[in-house]
Amino acid sequence: MAFLPLFVCSGESVVLPSSLEPVPVLLDIGEENDLGSHRGGSAVSPWPRHTRYGDDGIMEHDVDGDVAINLSTSQRPSAATTPNGSVEPEDGEFQAASLEKVLKEQQQQQQLELERVWDQDREVKGNGSTSPSSEKRVQQEHSPPPASDAQKTHNASVPASQTQTASASQMMASPVSGLHHMQQLLQQHVLSPSQLQSLMKQHSLLQQHHQQKQLVELGKKQIEQTMQQLQEQLQLNLIQQTQILQSGDKKKASSSSLQQLALQQQQLIQQLQIVQRQYVVHQGMGMQPMMLVQGAGLTSRDVMSPWKDPPNGNDQQLHATNSKCSLPDVNGIISGIPSSRSSRDDICFEDKLDNERTATDKVQHLYGHGVCKWPGCEVICEDLQAFMKHLNTEHTLDDRSTAQARVQMQVVSQLELQLQKERDRLQAMMHHLHMSKQLGSPEPLKESPSPTKMTVNSAVSQPAVSMGVLVSAVRSPVLQATAPNVPGPIRRRISDKSALSLAGEIQRNREFYKNADVRPPFTYASLIRQSIIESPDKQLTLNEIYNWFQNTFCYFRRNAATWKNAVRHNLSLHKCFMRVENVKGAVWTVDEVEFYKRRPQRCSSGPLAQPVVGGGASKSPTLNHSPTIYGDHIIQASMLEDNMQFLTGSTNLCNRDSRLRDSSQSPSHDHIGGSIHRSSVNGGLLIKQEHALTAEQQHGMRDVEHQVHHIIKREVHVDYEDIDQDAQVDGMAEDLTITSPQDHHHHHHQHHQHNDSNIIDDA
DNA sequence: CTCCTCATAAACAGAT
DNA sequence: TATCTGTTTATGAGGA
């Protein structure tokens, strides 16, 4: 979810349309894709290799990439809170940098050694790395460990098949008196000073080990990621092949594409092998500190546990599988050990725990609410135990499960690809916005975002986006997608009068709106108008308007019936939209005069109000409600930005850029241009400016300013029915005095909107 | 609290 | 007939 993190960071003032909530970002998977369900499924891939990667399900891995790394590098060490404080020395106590250096050197040596050993192993094994000829083969080679049944039975034992493991094990002296012993001593409180001293030494070594482990962890993670990606590409490739094979006998073209796929496959496999090798090396690095520990004379079953994780992803998976299958272990984890547990003595034990916890977590992804969540299964299992049994009997490594897993994998792959794309896009967008903000706003933002605005969510799930970017994003609609906790649709819309800013806003965020399933903060009327004035002929058919909505806004690719109805409704309702019969049907045009005439009283408080807060309100609904210290500045900046655009993009007066420009562009009003007309056009807008002549106006309102001095606010009842285009052109003076409110006698007030506050410029 | 704007739903009719 | 287009009414949310 590239956008998700961003979305989550908004303030409470943001409202998401209810329809949006489940799918903040629309992936092009389907109209009504249910990301949630995909997620649920993807979190646990039945595919063996996924088991090995611990808690980072594929999706999560990608989604929280940064977070994941952080966790891996910091969580464990920081989690070293001692349950029984007396036992454990302070964390930083023995962190000698020099020692670390030495250790690193040793580590490197041993890494080389490991590599060598591993190479030898490969030679011995003789199953080299020739490219697989069949699909199955590929799976076996690159996906984890075809945990064969035979291997499965070796619960928690060192996988015999892994010679490299054996080799590695041999490198290590047989462990003696380790953590276990240490713990016993400690528990008995019978430590002599010398014992204590040696204990401390051991501790320091352990710490060193752990630190190094962290260092290695990061690289490892990256490699794991790469491996995952490659494997998934491979899977994708295979799937494509299968598809072609299945449906391909018809076309010859498929044979060529097959060849291509095969080629790709080979390349992927090669890459994968390389990466896997790297991974092994890293595993060795991660393991190496343990050797030190052992060399120090520690011994313990727990210490041994890491060695159950062979320096190979396959075997790790096996281990995880074993853990998963070992019910007592699972239960123990669930019920027993607190996650915060981690004393130095337990480092290794904790590793084991991690793996087991991982297994448990994964199992939990397949089991929920008493139902097996295996794709297409939904068998009811009373308890975890029953589920485990079911899992181990029904979902074994057979063809069906494999196929299901493959499907799931495809789902995950596609989501992941999409995610990556979207994330990149987002990054680029944010970067761009940030840049343009800096360049575009004459007044750099000096305030820092108020912490209250940036919710916890933002901090948590926000990808690597700088605060500055976030700030700049505040005024962008991006943040609207946040605040998932806020129910109901967005009520705040940038009102019509801000259409000027609308043009710029849409332009600036075009890519964003196009791809993010975020409701644009503009009214339907504004959007319709925008669509029309963007068209070459300043006229569109209804269908073209639809298309514009869909092409411009991801949001409008859903719930078509709803918004289309709304569009039609708006077209009919607002007098500013005029239906023009055409040879080939009817087209809609915008009567700019009417457009600006509508509901002035409201708008005056909106976008055109004080450029400060009020204007900001229009700019960003999220700020409307509770302008913050930075909100004002941002708004100001953005308003200025708009004015800049106006200045450069329009020769018309008016305070708002596109407003008059658009007016001049209006097909039906090209000939208007009278000052009276214009002033009346601006009427509603200018009212508030009487007391809000700010820097904004100083920028581009010279023409307007002198008018403002003479403006007279008048309440006029205008019957739009009586004003046709020509009448309007004839003179606004008339239309200002024209009729009275309609004969609508509904209980409702909606027709008061026709009370126009117009400005007469008698200058 | 009232007024206003807007979104949404829906009924309905004519055109295609 | 089904669908599209266009009009109209009703209602509720939310802001000023």
Side-chain angles (χ1 to χ4, degrees), chain A residues 78-139:
Chain A
S78 69
T81 48
T82 321
N84 45 352
S86 60
V87 177
E88 186 174 62
E90 299 260 345
D91 252 8
E93 206 163 329
F94 297 99
Q95 295 176 356
S98 58
L99 182 53
E100 191 175 335
K101 233 181 184 174
V102 174
L103 286 172
K104 260 189 190 165
E105 286 173 6
Q106 291 181 356
Q107 189 181 33
Q108 283 176 354
Q109 285 179 359
Q110 293 184 356
Q111 174 188 342
L112 288 173
E113 178 72 7
L114 243 186
E115 202 173 347
R116 193 175 56 80
V117 170
W118 191 70
D119 283 344
Q120 287 173 353
D121 265 350
R122 278 209 310 173
E123 287 173 13
V124 171
K125 272 163 111 179
N127 71 347
S129 38
T130 54
S131 54
S133 53
S134 74
E135 211 173 295
K136 274 235 155 125
R137 176 73 174 278
V138 172
Q139 285 170 15

Coordinates of all heavy atoms in Angstrom, one line a residue, chain A residues 78-139:
Chain A
S78 N 16.8 -4.1 21.8 CA 16.2 -3.2 22.7 C 15.2 -4.0 23.6 O 14.8 -3.5 24.6 CB 15.4 -2.2 21.9 OG 14.3 -2.8 21.2
A79 N 14.9 -5.1 23.1 CA 13.9 -5.9 23.9 C 14.6 -6.6 25.1 O 14.0 -7.4 25.8 CB 13.2 -6.9 23.0
A80 N 15.8 -6.3 25.2 CA 16.6 -7.0 26.2 C 16.3 -6.5 27.6 O 17.2 -6.2 28.4 CB 18.1 -6.8 25.9
T81 N 15.1 -6.4 27.9 CA 14.7 -6.1 29.2 C 14.7 -7.3 30.0 O 14.2 -8.4 29.6 CB 13.3 -5.5 29.2 OG1 12.5 -6.3 28.5 CG2 13.3 -4.1 28.6
T82 N 15.3 -7.2 31.1 CA 15.5 -8.4 31.9 C 14.2 -8.7 32.8 O 13.9 -7.8 33.6 CB 16.7 -8.3 32.8 OG1 17.7 -7.7 32.1 CG2 17.1 -9.6 33.3
P83 N 13.7 -9.8 32.6 CA 12.6 -10.1 33.5 C 13.0 -10.2 34.9 O 12.4 -9.7 35.8 CB 12.1 -11.5 32.9 CG 12.8 -11.6 31.6 CD 14.0 -10.8 31.6
N84 N 14.1 -10.8 35.1 CA 14.6 -10.9 36.4 C 15.9 -10.1 36.5 O 17.0 -10.5 36.3 CB 14.9 -12.4 36.8 CG 15.7 -13.0 35.7 OD1 15.8 -12.5 34.6 ND2 16.2 -14.2 35.9
G85 N 15.6 -8.8 36.7 CA 16.7 -7.9 36.6 C 18.0 -8.2 37.2 O 19.1 -7.9 36.8
S86 N 18.0 -9.0 38.3 CA 19.2 -9.2 39.0 C 20.2 -10.1 38.1 O 21.4 -10.0 38.3 CB 18.9 -10.0 40.3 OG 18.2 -11.2 39.9
V87 N 19.6 -10.7 37.2 CA 20.4 -11.7 36.5 C 21.3 -11.0 35.4 O 22.4 -11.3 35.3 CB 19.5 -12.7 35.8 CG1 20.4 -13.6 34.9 CG2 18.8 -13.5 36.8
E88 N 20.7 -10.0 34.8 CA 21.4 -9.5 33.6 C 22.1 -8.2 33.9 O 21.5 -7.3 34.5 CB 20.4 -9.3 32.5 CG 21.0 -8.9 31.2 CD 20.0 -8.8 30.1 OE1 19.1 -8.0 30.2 OE2 20.2 -9.6 29.2
P89 N 23.3 -8.1 33.4 CA 24.0 -6.9 33.5 C 23.4 -5.9 32.5 O 22.7 -6.2 31.6 CB 25.4 -7.3 33.0 CG 25.4 -8.7 32.7 CD 24.0 -9.2 32.7
E90 N 23.9 -4.7 32.7 CA 23.3 -3.6 31.8 C 23.7 -3.8 30.4 O 24.7 -4.4 30.1 CB 24.0 -2.3 32.3 CG 23.6 -1.9 33.7 CD 22.5 -1.0 33.8 OE1 22.2 -0.4 32.7 OE2 21.9 -0.8 34.8
D91 N 22.9 -3.3 29.6 CA 23.1 -3.6 28.2 C 24.4 -3.1 27.6 O 25.1 -3.8 26.9 CB 21.9 -3.0 27.4 CG 21.0 -4.0 26.9 OD1 21.2 -5.2 27.3 OD2 20.1 -3.7 26.1
G92 N 24.6 -1.8 27.9 CA 25.8 -1.2 27.2 C 27.1 -1.5 28.0 O 28.1 -0.9 27.6
E93 N 27.0 -2.2 29.0 CA 28.1 -2.3 29.9 C 29.4 -2.8 29.2 O 30.5 -2.3 29.4 CB 27.8 -3.3 31.0 CG 28.5 -3.0 32.2 CD 27.8 -3.6 33.4 OE1 26.6 -3.7 33.4 OE2 28.6 -4.0 34.3
F94 N 29.2 -3.8 28.4 CA 30.4 -4.4 27.8 C 30.6 -4.1 26.3 O 31.1 -4.9 25.6 CB 30.4 -5.9 28.0 CG 30.4 -6.2 29.5 CD1 29.2 -6.6 30.1 CD2 31.6 -6.2 30.2 CE1 29.3 -6.9 31.4 CE2 31.6 -6.5 31.5 CZ 30.4 -6.9 32.1
Q95 N 30.1 -3.0 25.9 CA 30.2 -2.8 24.5 C 31.5 -2.1 24.1 O 31.6 -0.9 24.0 CB 29.0 -2.0 24.0 CG 27.7 -2.8 24.2 CD 26.5 -1.9 23.8 OE1 26.7 -0.7 23.5 NE2 25.4 -2.5 23.9
A96 N 32.5 -2.9 23.9 CA 33.8 -2.3 23.5 C 33.9 -2.3 22.0 O 33.8 -3.3 21.4 CB 34.9 -3.2 24.1
A97 N 34.1 -1.1 21.6 CA 34.2 -1.0 20.1 C 35.3 -1.8 19.5 O 35.2 -2.4 18.4 CB 34.3 0.5 19.8
S98 N 36.4 -1.8 20.2 CA 37.6 -2.5 19.7 C 37.3 -4.0 19.6 O 37.6 -4.6 18.6 CB 38.7 -2.3 20.6 OG 38.4 -2.7 21.9
L99 N 36.6 -4.4 20.6 CA 36.3 -5.9 20.6 C 35.4 -6.2 19.4 O 35.6 -7.2 18.7 CB 35.6 -6.2 21.8 CG 35.2 -7.7 22.0 CD1 36.5 -8.6 21.7 CD2 34.6 -8.0 23.3
E100 N 34.6 -5.2 19.1 CA 33.7 -5.4 18.0 C 34.4 -5.5 16.7 O 34.1 -6.3 15.9 CB 32.7 -4.3 18.0 CG 31.5 -4.5 17.0 CD 30.5 -3.4 17.1 OE1 30.5 -2.7 18.2 OE2 29.8 -3.1 16.1
K101 N 35.4 -4.7 16.6 CA 36.2 -4.7 15.4 C 36.9 -6.1 15.2 O 36.8 -6.7 14.2 CB 37.3 -3.7 15.6 CG 37.4 -2.7 14.4 CD 38.5 -1.7 14.6 CE 38.5 -0.7 13.5 NZ 39.5 0.4 13.8
V102 N 37.5 -6.5 16.3 CA 38.1 -7.8 16.2 C 37.1 -8.9 15.8 O 37.4 -9.7 14.9 CB 38.7 -8.2 17.6 CG1 39.2 -9.6 17.6 CG2 39.8 -7.2 18.0
L103 N 36.0 -8.8 16.4 CA 35.0 -9.8 16.1 C 34.6 -9.7 14.7 O 34.4 -10.7 14.0 CB 33.7 -9.5 17.0 CG 33.9 -9.9 18.4 CD1 32.7 -9.4 19.3 CD2 34.1 -11.4 18.5
K104 N 34.5 -8.5 14.2 CA 34.1 -8.4 12.8 C 35.1 -9.0 11.9 O 34.8 -9.7 10.9 CB 34.0 -6.9 12.4 CG 32.6 -6.4 12.4 CD 32.6 -5.0 11.9 CE 31.2 -4.4 12.1 NZ 31.3 -2.9 11.9
E105 N 36.4 -8.8 12.2 CA 37.4 -9.4 11.4 C 37.3 -10.9 11.4 O 37.3 -11.6 10.4 CB 38.8 -9.0 11.9 CG 39.1 -7.6 11.5 CD 40.4 -7.1 12.2 OE1 41.1 -8.0 12.8 OE2 40.7 -6.0 12.1
Q106 N 37.1 -11.4 12.6 CA 36.9 -12.9 12.7 C 35.7 -13.3 11.9 O 35.7 -14.3 11.2 CB 36.7 -13.2 14.2 CG 38.0 -13.0 15.0 CD 37.8 -13.4 16.4 OE1 36.7 -13.8 16.8 NE2 38.9 -13.4 17.2
Q107 N 34.8 -12.5 12.0 CA 33.5 -12.8 11.3 C 33.8 -12.9 9.8 O 33.3 -13.9 9.2 CB 32.5 -11.7 11.5 CG 31.2 -12.0 11.0 CD 30.2 -10.9 11.3 OE1 30.7 -9.7 11.3 NE2 29.0 -11.2 11.6
Q108 N 34.5 -12.0 9.3 CA 34.8 -12.0 7.9 C 35.6 -13.3 7.5 O 35.3 -13.9 6.5 CB 35.6 -10.8 7.5 CG 34.7 -9.5 7.4 CD 35.5 -8.3 7.1 OE1 36.8 -8.4 7.0 NE2 34.9 -7.2 6.9
Q109 N 36.5 -13.6 8.3 CA 37.3 -14.8 8.0 C 36.4 -16.0 8.0 O 36.4 -16.8 7.1 CB 38.4 -15.0 9.1 CG 39.5 -14.0 8.9 CD 40.6 -14.2 10.0 OE1 40.4 -15.1 10.9 NE2 41.7 -13.5 10.0
Q110 N 35.6 -16.1 9.0 CA 34.8 -17.2 9.1 C 33.7 -17.2 8.0 O 33.3 -18.3 7.5 CB 34.1 -17.2 10.4 CG 35.1 -17.5 11.5 CD 34.5 -17.6 12.9 OE1 33.3 -17.4 13.0 NE2 35.3 -17.8 13.9
Q111 N 33.4 -16.0 7.6 CA 32.5 -16.0 6.5 C 33.1 -16.6 5.2 O 32.4 -17.4 4.5 CB 32.1 -14.5 6.3 CG 31.2 -14.3 5.0 CD 31.1 -12.8 4.8 OE1 31.3 -12.0 5.7 NE2 30.7 -12.5 3.6
L112 N 34.3 -16.2 5.0 CA 35.0 -16.8 3.9 C 35.1 -18.3 4.0 O 34.8 -19.0 3.0 CB 36.4 -16.2 3.8 CG 36.4 -14.7 3.3 CD1 37.8 -14.2 3.4 CD2 35.9 -14.6 1.9
E113 N 35.4 -18.7 5.2 CA 35.5 -20.1 5.4 C 34.2 -20.8 5.1 O 34.1 -21.8 4.4 CB 35.8 -20.3 6.9 CG 35.9 -21.8 7.3 CD 37.2 -22.4 6.7 OE1 38.0 -21.7 6.1 OE2 37.3 -23.6 6.8
L114 N 33.1 -20.2 5.6 CA 31.8 -20.7 5.4 C 31.5 -20.9 3.9 O 31.0 -21.9 3.4 CB 30.8 -19.8 6.0 CG 30.0 -20.5 7.1 CD1 28.9 -19.5 7.6 CD2 29.4 -21.8 6.7
E115 N 31.9 -19.8 3.2 CA 31.6 -19.8 1.8 C 32.3 -20.9 1.1 O 31.8 -21.6 0.3 CB 32.1 -18.4 1.3 CG 31.4 -18.1 0.0 CD 31.7 -16.7 -0.4 OE1 32.3 -16.0 0.4 OE2 31.4 -16.3 -1.6
R116 N 33.5 -21.0 1.5 CA 34.3 -22.1 0.9 C 33.7 -23.4 1.2 O 33.5 -24.3 0.3 CB 35.7 -22.0 1.5 CG 36.7 -22.9 0.8 CD 38.1 -22.7 1.4 NE 38.2 -22.9 2.8 CZ 38.2 -24.2 3.3 NH1 38.3 -25.2 2.5 NH2 38.3 -24.4 4.6
V117 N 33.3 -23.6 2.4 CA 32.7 -24.9 2.8 C 31.5 -25.1 2.0 O 31.2 -26.2 1.5 CB 32.4 -24.9 4.3 CG1 31.5 -26.1 4.6 CG2 33.7 -24.9 5.1
W118 N 30.8 -24.1 1.9 CA 29.5 -24.3 1.2 C 29.7 -24.6 -0.3 O 29.1 -25.5 -0.9 CB 28.7 -22.9 1.2 CG 27.3 -23.1 0.8 CD1 26.4 -23.8 1.4 CD2 26.8 -22.6 -0.4 NE1 25.2 -23.7 0.7 CE2 25.4 -23.0 -0.4 CE3 27.3 -21.9 -1.5 CZ2 24.6 -22.7 -1.5 CZ3 26.4 -21.6 -2.5 CH2 25.1 -22.0 -2.5
D119 N 30.7 -24.0 -0.9 CA 31.0 -24.3 -2.2 C 31.4 -25.8 -2.4 O 31.0 -26.5 -3.3 CB 32.2 -23.5 -2.7 CG 31.7 -22.1 -3.1 OD1 30.5 -21.9 -3.2 OD2 32.5 -21.2 -3.2
Q120 N 32.2 -26.2 -1.4 CA 32.6 -27.6 -1.4 C 31.3 -28.5 -1.3 O 31.2 -29.5 -2.0 CB 33.5 -27.9 -0.3 CG 34.9 -27.3 -0.5 CD 35.7 -27.5 0.8 OE1 35.2 -27.9 1.8 NE2 37.0 -27.1 0.6
D121 N 30.5 -28.1 -0.5 CA 29.3 -28.8 -0.3 C 28.5 -29.0 -1.6 O 28.0 -30.0 -1.9 CB 28.4 -28.1 0.7 CG 28.6 -28.7 2.1 OD1 29.3 -29.7 2.1 OD2 28.1 -28.1 3.0
R122 N 28.5 -27.9 -2.3 CA 27.7 -27.9 -3.5 C 28.4 -28.9 -4.5 O 27.7 -29.6 -5.2 CB 27.7 -26.5 -4.1 CG 26.6 -25.7 -3.5 CD 26.1 -24.7 -4.5 NE 27.2 -24.0 -5.1 CZ 27.1 -23.2 -6.2 NH1 25.9 -23.0 -6.7 NH2 28.1 -22.6 -6.7
E123 N 29.6 -28.9 -4.5 CA 30.3 -29.8 -5.4 C 30.0 -31.2 -5.0 O 29.7 -32.1 -5.8 CB 31.8 -29.6 -5.4 CG 32.2 -28.3 -6.1 CD 33.7 -28.0 -5.9 OE1 34.4 -28.8 -5.4 OE2 34.0 -26.8 -6.2
V124 N 30.1 -31.4 -3.7 CA 29.8 -32.8 -3.2 C 28.4 -33.2 -3.6 O 28.2 -34.3 -4.1 CB 30.0 -32.8 -1.7 CG1 29.6 -34.1 -1.1 CG2 31.5 -32.6 -1.4
K125 N 27.5 -32.3 -3.3 CA 26.2 -32.7 -3.5 C 25.9 -32.9 -5.0 O 25.1 -33.7 -5.4 CB 25.3 -31.5 -3.1 CG 24.9 -31.5 -1.7 CD 24.4 -30.2 -1.2 CE 22.9 -30.2 -0.9 NZ 22.5 -28.9 -0.5
G126 N 26.6 -32.2 -5.8 CA 26.6 -32.5 -7.2 C 25.3 -32.2 -7.9 O 25.2 -32.3 -9.1
N127 N 24.4 -31.7 -7.2 CA 23.2 -31.3 -8.0 C 23.3 -29.8 -8.4 O 22.3 -29.2 -8.6 CB 22.0 -31.5 -7.1 CG 21.9 -30.5 -6.0 OD1 22.9 -29.9 -5.7 ND2 20.8 -30.4 -5.3
G128 N 24.5 -29.4 -8.5 CA 24.8 -28.1 -9.1 C 23.6 -27.2 -9.3 O 22.6 -27.3 -8.7
S129 N 23.8 -26.3 -10.1 CA 22.7 -25.3 -10.3 C 22.4 -25.2 -11.8 O 22.3 -24.1 -12.3 CB 23.2 -24.0 -9.8 OG 24.5 -23.8 -10.1
T130 N 22.2 -26.3 -12.4 CA 21.8 -26.2 -13.7 C 20.3 -25.8 -13.8 O 19.6 -26.1 -12.9 CB 21.9 -27.6 -14.4 OG1 21.2 -28.5 -13.6 CG2 23.3 -28.0 -14.5
S131 N 20.0 -25.1 -14.8 CA 18.7 -24.6 -14.9 C 17.7 -25.8 -15.0 O 17.9 -26.7 -15.7 CB 18.5 -23.7 -16.1 OG 18.9 -24.4 -17.2
P132 N 16.7 -25.6 -14.2 CA 15.7 -26.7 -14.1 C 15.0 -26.8 -15.4 O 14.8 -25.9 -16.1 CB 14.8 -26.2 -13.0 CG 15.1 -24.7 -12.9 CD 16.4 -24.5 -13.4
S133 N 14.6 -28.0 -15.7 CA 13.9 -28.2 -16.9 C 12.4 -28.3 -16.8 O 11.7 -28.1 -17.7 CB 14.4 -29.6 -17.5 OG 14.2 -30.6 -16.5
S134 N 12.0 -28.5 -15.6 CA 10.6 -28.5 -15.4 C 10.2 -27.6 -14.3 O 11.0 -27.1 -13.5 CB 10.2 -29.9 -15.1 OG 10.5 -30.2 -13.7
E135 N 8.9 -27.4 -14.3 CA 8.4 -26.5 -13.3 C 8.7 -27.0 -11.9 O 9.1 -26.3 -11.0 CB 6.9 -26.4 -13.5 CG 6.3 -25.1 -13.1 CD 4.9 -25.0 -13.5 OE1 4.6 -25.1 -14.7 OE2 4.0 -25.0 -12.6
K136 N 8.4 -28.3 -11.7 CA 8.6 -28.8 -10.4 C 10.1 -28.6 -10.0 O 10.3 -28.3 -8.8 CB 8.3 -30.3 -10.5 CG 6.9 -30.6 -10.3 CD 6.7 -31.6 -9.2 CE 5.3 -31.5 -8.5 NZ 4.5 -32.7 -8.5
R137 N 10.9 -28.9 -10.9 CA 12.3 -28.7 -10.6 C 12.6 -27.3 -10.0 O 13.3 -27.1 -9.1 CB 13.1 -29.1 -11.8 CG 14.5 -28.9 -11.6 CD 15.1 -30.0 -10.8 NE 16.5 -29.9 -10.7 CZ 17.3 -30.4 -11.6 NH1 16.8 -31.0 -12.7 NH2 18.6 -30.2 -11.5
V138 N 12.0 -26.4 -10.7 CA 12.3 -25.1 -10.3 C 11.8 -24.8 -8.9 O 12.5 -24.2 -8.1 CB 11.5 -24.1 -11.3 CG1 11.6 -22.7 -10.8 CG2 12.1 -24.2 -12.7
Q139 N 10.7 -25.3 -8.7 CA 10.2 -25.1 -7.3 C 11.1 -25.7 -6.3 O 11.4 -25.1 -5.3 CB 8.8 -25.8 -7.2 CG 7.7 -25.0 -7.9 CD 6.5 -25.7 -8.0 OE1 6.3 -26.7 -7.3 NE2 5.6 -25.3 -8.8

